[in-house]
Amino acid sequence: SGYQARTAKELPVLVRWFPASRLPHVPAKFLDIILYSREQILLERAAMSDTTPVPPEPWGIISIKPQDEDRETPMQPITMLRNALGREEGGSGVPLDRAKYAASVEYWAHRAEIQD
């Protein structure tokens, strides 16, 4: 575990993970590709005063999540909280949904990411 920010402009948040070096390598069965619309990417970058050019494509890949489930898994609770902080802090501006948050906590209480 440790505090991490996805970019230099975001607030660091507490994240749980298992070190990859301590686990056997097992390939993921599925990849979950997270896309944001170009409009959402522009809104988030503007809120963070990020002037990096945004490609003209209508969608951008935000995350690629390896997983074993053949369905979308709940977003991690800390990601939901970060998103609810607002775009100025690196979130998406999506308000926290209490029921989805509870489902996320139930799912992630017995899991953690694997990181290098």
Side-chain angles (χ1 to χ4, degrees):
S1 296
Y3 286 89
Q4 295 180 341
R6 297 176 295 190
T7 71
K9 294 183 178 185
E10 285 187 350
L11 292 173
V13 296
L14 184 61
V15 180
R16 296 182 327 154
W17 72 85
F18 297 113
S21 61
R22 295 189 180 187
L23 298 170
H25 175 74
V26 179
K29 295 177 183 173
F30 301 95
L31 294 176
D32 185 15
I33 312 297
I34 309 300
L35 304 175
Y36 276 12
S37 69
R38 184 174 192 276
E39 291 77 21
Q40 179 66 23
I41 295 168
L42 288 168
L43 287 170
E44 290 186 21
R45 289 200 180 167
M48 299 288 289
S49 301
D50 184 344
T51 59
T52 307
V54 177
E57 286 73 25
W59 298 95
I61 297 173
I62 300 303
S63 179
I64 301 173
K65 299 184 334 183
Q67 60 188 47
D68 287 340
E69 291 89 346
D70 64 351
R71 59 181 164 68
E72 183 178 3
T73 61
M75 187 182 302
Q76 291 191 37
I78 195 61
T79 304
M80 297 176 87
L81 290 173
R82 184 190 329 230
N83 283 344
L85 285 175
R87 293 184 190 104
E88 310 78 30
E89 303 300 340
S92 64
V94 174
L96 187 65
D97 178 312
R98 191 174 184 91
K100 287 182 180 179
Y101 183 82
S104 173
V105 168
E106 183 178 333
Y107 178 85
W108 285 102
H110 307 285
R111 296 168 174 84
E113 284 187 1
I114 298 170
Q115 292 186 12
D116 285 331

